[in-house]
C-alpha cells in the first residue's frame, strides 16, 4: 500500500545527521547517505501528513500553546492496549516533549545527588550524560554475549542493586544499540531484583513499535500490577513513525503518588516540556491510522537486515552481524579488522565514506563495533555496502 522507495539527498535541509556528515566532508557525492542518528530516510505515513494538514486547515489550527485532549488520550490508550497488551488509564499519561527530557525529569524526581543509577551497557549514549552530568553515579552492568545473543547479567545487577545508594536503573526495551527484544521472563527476573532492592525502573520503550517478525515485545509494566507500580515507562511515536522532530512522548506512571511527584518536577521547568500542537496531532494520527504503514515498514527493515547479513557473510566475513530482534539499528562486530576505535572510525569515514554511529559512543563494550541505521531504500544500502567492500578489499591487500 505504501511507498518506501524514497532515494535522495537531505543535504542542506536541516537534518542533523546530514548536517553532521556535510560538516565532516562537504564534497561527498549526492548518493552518499548517513546511517547514523535514529531517524529514517522514508517519508512519513500519508495518514499522518493528512491529519496535520486537516488540523492546520481547521478552525482550531492555531499554532499556539496546546495540551492533551480526549481524542489524543483515547488514541494513546488504545494503542498501548492493541499493540502492546497493556491496559492503561488516560490519567496515567504525562505529556512530554521527548523521551530524553522525560528521563531527566524521572532522575530528578526519584533520585538525589550522590545516588547510584545502573546502566546496562553498551547502551544509548545519552543515558551516560543524563546520569553523570546531574551529580548521580553511573554504575555500569555489562551485557554478556552468550549462546549467540546478548543477555543481561542478572547476578551483576543484583550485586549492584543491593548497594543502598542504588535507587534507579535505566533500561532500553527493546535494547539500543544491540537490538535485543527482552523476553517476558528476562524482564520479570530483572523486575524482581529491582523490587526486592527498592530500585526504581526507568523503562525506555522508544523503539517498542519496531519489533521484527518472530519476536514479541513485552511492556515491562504489563507483566503485573506489582511491577507496574515499581516502574516509569517512556513511550513515543518518534521511532516507529519517524516523528522525532514532532517532540511528543508519553511518560506513563500507574502509581498516583509517583505520578504526582513526577508532575511536581515537571512543574519546576514547565516551559521546557511543552508539546507542540502538531506533535499531538501527529501522534494521534499515527496511533489511529498508521498501523498498516508500520507493519509494512517492519517488512522493509527486516528485508534490509537479511540483505545486509547475506552481503556481509558473502563479501566481508570479517564483519559479523549481531542478532537483530527489534529497532531498525543493526549492531556490527568489526573487531576482526583489528583496528582501535579511532582507527575504525577513520577507516569508515575516509576509506568507505560511511557515516555510522561508532560503537564506543555506547560505552567501552562497544569498542570495535558500529551501529548502522537500516531505515532506507535497499539500493542505498547496497551502494554503501559496495563502498565498504571496496575499502575492506584494499585493507586486505595492505595488512
Amino acid at each position: 500500500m505504501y511507498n518506501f522507495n524514497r532515494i535522495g539527498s537531505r543535504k542542506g535541509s536541516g537534518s542533523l545527521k546530514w548536517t553532521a556528515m556535510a560538516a565532516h566532508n562537504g564534497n561527498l557525492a549526492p548518493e552518499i547517505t548517513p546511517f547514523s542518528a535514529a531517524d529514517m530516510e522514508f517519508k512519513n505515513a500519508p495518514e499522518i501528513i493528512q491529519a496535520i494538514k486537516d488540523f492546520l486547515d481547521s478552525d482550531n489550527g492555531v499554532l499556539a500553546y496546546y495540551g492533551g485532549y480526549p481524542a489524543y488520550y483515547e488514541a494513546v490508550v488504545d494503542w498501548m492496549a492493541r499493540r502492546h497488551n497493556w491496559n492503561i488509564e488516560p490519567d496515567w499519561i504525562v505529556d512530554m516533549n521527548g523521551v530524553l527530557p522525560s528521563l531527566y525529569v524521572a532522575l530528578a524526581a526519584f533520585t538525589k545527588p550522590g545516588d547510584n543509577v545502573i546502566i546496562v551497557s553498551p547502551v544509548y549514549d545519552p543515558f551516560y550524560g543524563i546520569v553523570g552530568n546531574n551529580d548521580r553515579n553511573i554504575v555500569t552492568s555489562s551485557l554478556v554475549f552468550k549462546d549467540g545473543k546478548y543477555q543481561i547479567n542478572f547476578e551483576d545487577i543484583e550485586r549492584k542493586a543491593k548497594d543502598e545508594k542504588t535507587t534507579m536503573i535505566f533500561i532500553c526495551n527493546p535494547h539500543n544499540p544491540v537490538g535485543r527484544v527482552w523476553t517476558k521472563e528476562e524482564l520479570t527476573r530483572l523486575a524482581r531484583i529491582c523490587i526486592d532492592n527498592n530500585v526504581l525502573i526507568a523503562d525506555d520503550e522508544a523503539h517498542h513499535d519496531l519489533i521484527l517478525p518472530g519476536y514479541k515485545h513485552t511492556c515491562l509494566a504489563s507483566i503485573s500490577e506489582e511491577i507496574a507500580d515499581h516502574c516509569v515507562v517512556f513511550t513515543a511515536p518518534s521511532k516507529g513513525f519517524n516523528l522525532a522532530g514532532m517532540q511528543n512522548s508519553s511518560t506513563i506512571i500507574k502509581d498516583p503518588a509517583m505520578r504526582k511527584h513526577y508532575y511536581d518536577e515537571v512543574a519546576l521547568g514547565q516551559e521546557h516540556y511543552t508539546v507542540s500542537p502538531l506533535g499531538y496531532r501527529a501522534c494521534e494520527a499515527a496511533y489511529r491510522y498508521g498501523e498498516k504503514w508500520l507493519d509494512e515498514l517492519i517488512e522493509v527493515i527486516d528485508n534490509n537486515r537479511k540483505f545486509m547479513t547475506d552481503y556481509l557473510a558473502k563479501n566481508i566475513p570479517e564483519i559479523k552481524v549481531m542478532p537483530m530482534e527489534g529497532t531498525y539499528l543493526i549492531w556490527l562486530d568489526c573487531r576482526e579488522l583489528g583496528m582501535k576505535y579511532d582507527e575504525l572510525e577513520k577507516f569508515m569515514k575516509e576509506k568507505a565514506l560511511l557515516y555510522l554511529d561508532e560503537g564506543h559512543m555506547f560505552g567501552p563494550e562497544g569498542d570495535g563495533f558500529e551501529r548502522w541505521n537500516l531505515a532506507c531504500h535497499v539500493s542505498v544500502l547496497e551502494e554503501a555496502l559496495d563502498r565498504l567492500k571496496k575499502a575492506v578489499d584494499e585493507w586486505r591487500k595492505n595488512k
Side-chain angles (χ1 to χ4, degrees):
M1 287 180 58
Y2 296 99
N3 181 2
F4 290 96
N5 294 323
R6 182 191 177 281
I7 303 171
S9 173
R10 288 199 283 155
K11 183 178 180 180
S13 68
S15 164
L16 291 180
K17 65 183 179 183
W18 282 84
T19 299
M21 182 177 72
H24 182 268
N25 185 346
N27 298 314
L28 294 169
E31 66 269 17
I32 306 295
T33 297
F35 303 97
S36 50
D39 61 23
M40 307 183 204
E41 294 302 309
F42 299 130
K43 295 280 285 184
N44 294 99
E47 293 87 349
I48 297 174
I49 301 300
Q50 189 60 51
I52 292 172
K53 290 179 178 178
D54 290 345
F55 169 72
L56 291 173
D57 288 339
S58 72
D59 290 341
N60 294 322
V62 179
L63 298 178
Y65 291 119
Y66 276 78
Y69 48 93
Y72 168 77
Y73 293 119
E74 181 182 90
V76 176
V77 168
D78 180 63
W79 184 255
M80 292 304 298
R82 188 173 75 252
R83 196 79 181 186
H84 298 289
N85 196 35
W86 186 26
N87 295 313
I88 67 173
E89 299 294 334
D91 62 0
W92 298 2
I93 302 167
V94 184
D95 304 338
M96 291 291 289
N97 61 358
V99 168
L100 290 181
S102 304
L103 284 163
Y104 168 77
V105 171
L107 185 84
F110 302 119
T111 70
K112 62 183 184 300
D115 282 2
N116 295 341
V117 178
I118 299 173
I119 292 177
V120 183
S121 183
V123 74
Y124 183 44
D125 53 302
F127 281 11
Y128 297 98
I130 291 172
V131 176
N133 294 337
N134 288 287
D135 300 320
R136 276 69 169 176
N137 304 316
I138 299 171
V139 177
T140 300
S141 180
S142 301
L143 295 172
V144 293
F145 193 78
K146 182 180 179 182
D147 299 330
K149 63 182 178 181
Y150 279 97
Q151 300 186 33
I152 297 169
N153 188 337
F154 293 104
E155 292 78 12
D156 182 59
I157 287 179
E158 185 166 20
R159 282 194 299 272
K160 290 164 178 174
K162 288 181 180 297
D163 187 329
E164 63 181 14
K165 292 178 64 178
T166 302
T167 55
M168 181 175 281
I169 183 172
F170 280 14
I171 65 168
C172 272
N173 176 31
H175 192 86
N176 173 14
V178 308
R180 270 301 314 276
V181 174
W182 305 120
T183 65
K184 181 178 180 180
E185 291 72 25
E186 287 171 312
L187 291 171
T188 301
R189 184 175 177 185
L190 178 67
R192 186 73 266 157
I193 292 170
C194 293
I195 292 170
D196 289 347
N197 291 282
N198 198 30
V199 174
L200 184 67
I201 307 167
D203 177 23
D204 174 2
E205 299 204 2
H207 290 268
H208 71 177
D209 291 325
L210 295 160
I211 308 301
L212 297 187
Y215 299 95
K216 177 179 174 56
H217 169 259
T218 300
C219 180
L220 177 68
S222 72
I223 298 173
S224 72
E225 296 292 322
E226 182 184 27
I227 293 174
D229 285 333
H230 203 83
C231 67
V232 180
V233 179
F234 308 93
T235 74
S238 53
K239 301 307 178 186
F241 292 95
N242 207 25
L243 293 172
M246 282 296 177
Q247 302 293 297
N248 170 280
S249 69
S250 296
T251 300
I252 307 175
I253 308 175
K254 175 179 177 291
D255 181 79
M258 285 175 55
R259 191 165 62 249
K260 181 182 183 306
H261 203 39
Y262 189 91
Y263 266 121
D264 289 345
E265 190 63 39
V266 170
L268 293 176
Q270 182 63 59
E271 66 275 13
H272 301 299
Y273 306 119
T274 303
V275 180
S276 80
L278 299 187
Y280 281 118
R281 268 68 192 182
C283 179
E284 180 192 351
Y287 290 167
R288 286 191 183 279
Y289 313 119
E291 194 160 13
K292 290 182 179 180
W293 183 92
L294 176 63
D295 289 339
E296 288 192 21
L297 166 71
I298 289 171
E299 289 184 25
V300 171
I301 299 302
D302 196 42
N303 287 334
N304 284 357
R305 176 194 64 81
K306 293 173 184 175
F307 178 83
M308 176 178 276
T309 301
D310 292 344
Y311 187 105
L312 290 176
K314 179 180 179 181
N315 297 289
I316 317 175
E318 294 92 343
I319 298 179
K320 304 294 191 297
V321 175
M322 297 292 97
M324 179 181 172
E325 303 172 356
T327 81
Y328 48 69
L329 306 167
I330 199 163
W331 189 236
L332 302 177
D333 183 352
C334 306
R335 289 175 294 180
E336 283 190 25
L337 296 178
M339 301 177 190
K340 296 179 180 179
Y341 74 84
D342 52 345
E343 296 171 330
L344 181 61
E345 180 175 3
K346 185 175 181 180
F347 173 81
M348 290 296 180
K349 289 181 176 178
E350 298 184 7
K351 301 297 184 181
L353 300 181
L354 282 173
Y355 290 80
L356 311 173
D357 278 326
E358 306 302 318
H360 66 84
M361 292 169 50
F362 306 98
E365 299 88 349
D367 286 359
F369 290 79
E370 298 281 356
R371 192 188 78 170
W372 187 318
N373 184 335
L374 295 180
C376 63
H377 191 270
V378 68
S379 65
V380 176
L381 192 62
E382 183 175 19
E383 191 273 336
L385 287 167
D386 287 344
R387 294 200 311 274
L388 179 58
K389 178 181 181 300
K390 182 179 178 180
V392 173
D393 287 343
E394 187 67 25
W395 167 81
R396 291 192 192 107
K397 292 178 185 177
N398 298 325
K399 73 172 183 176

